[in-house]
Amino acid sequence: MNDKHIGELVLSQEQIAAGAENVAAQLNDQFAGDEVVIISVVPGGILFTADLVRKLTFDLSMDYISCPHTPGDRNNTSEIVYHQNISVKGKHVVLVDDAIESGGTMKRIVEYIASSFEVLSVSIAILLVKPGRVDIPVKQYFAYEMENDDLLVGYGLPWQDRYRNIPFISKLHRP
């Protein structure tokens, strides 16, 4: 894909695959023998969820949750939409997303799930995290910690609702 907004490569397809393998290994160690509900944070988490769950070896169910936001927005107040298609009561819940940028939206989702549904535990699985994110007081499983807060696109990460389908992650280039 040749586009003026796609900048320097940050994570290649091979690095993303290795990252999914790394996070899956962490989750497999933590939840061996447990029943877990994987909740994909959509739309951004769809790609990582698909790659991740195929590497998980414990019993799982899947659902999804949405909380539209602008990447990097610490003060997201948009509605959390969760239909609870399967019961999470008394179960471990792992929220899966592509990245934690500021962490504001993920923190709200964690608090919502933990306080509303009598879950056994809540944790987060993400491909990458950025520095300067808010403190989210739950176990986080991730493959990469970024060195800066560059705007990124690809592999679920959008800019102006575009570029989610790029199979790698690059810096956003604004000419």
Side-chain angles (χ1 to χ4, degrees):
M1 178 177 281
N2 185 7
D3 191 287
K4 64 184 179 182
H5 292 105
I6 299 172
E8 178 185 337
L9 181 68
V10 174
L11 292 175
S12 68
Q13 292 179 60
E14 294 77 20
Q15 289 171 303
I16 290 169
E21 194 72 47
N22 178 317
V23 174
Q26 294 174 59
L27 292 170
N28 286 333
D29 287 345
Q30 180 65 38
F31 295 108
D34 290 331
E35 183 181 345
V36 178
V37 178
I38 302 292
I39 300 179
S40 183
V41 180
V42 298
I46 291 172
L47 298 175
F48 188 57
T49 302
D51 288 344
L52 181 66
V53 297
R54 291 180 284 183
K55 296 172 181 8
L56 299 177
T57 57
F58 49 82
D59 288 333
L60 63 87
S61 301
M62 292 178 63
D63 210 344
Y64 63 94
I65 194 167
S66 177
C67 186
H69 69 284
T70 301
D73 180 7
R74 290 180 186 265
N75 300 310
N76 176 12
T77 58
S78 44
E79 178 185 9
I80 295 173
V81 179
Y82 179 53
H83 298 290
Q84 193 179 13
N85 295 307
I86 55 175
S87 177
V88 295
K89 183 178 181 177
K91 295 180 184 169
H92 297 286
V93 171
V94 177
L95 297 164
V96 180
D97 205 353
D98 49 8
I100 290 184
E101 296 183 82
S102 71
T105 299
M106 182 59 80
K107 185 174 184 176
R108 285 186 59 227
I109 293 171
V110 165
E111 290 169 350
Y112 173 74
I113 294 293
S115 66
S116 302
F117 298 100
E118 299 178 44
V119 297
L120 192 57
S121 71
V122 179
S123 54
I124 304 167
I126 52 273
L127 178 63
L128 64 91
V129 296
K130 288 187 171 184
R133 59 197 178 276
V134 299
D135 182 40
I136 306 172
V138 298
K139 180 75 175 160
Q140 298 177 33
Y141 304 90
F142 59 89
Y144 301 104
E145 188 163 10
M146 300 289 101
E147 295 178 6
N148 58 53
D149 282 324
D150 288 335
L151 286 174
L152 304 176
V153 294
Y155 194 71
L157 295 163
W159 184 66
Q160 296 183 344
D161 293 319
R162 296 176 57 207
Y163 308 115
R164 288 186 194 274
N165 62 317
I166 297 170
F168 52 85
I169 296 175
S170 73
K171 292 181 182 179
L172 174 67
H173 176 69
R174 292 193 249 189

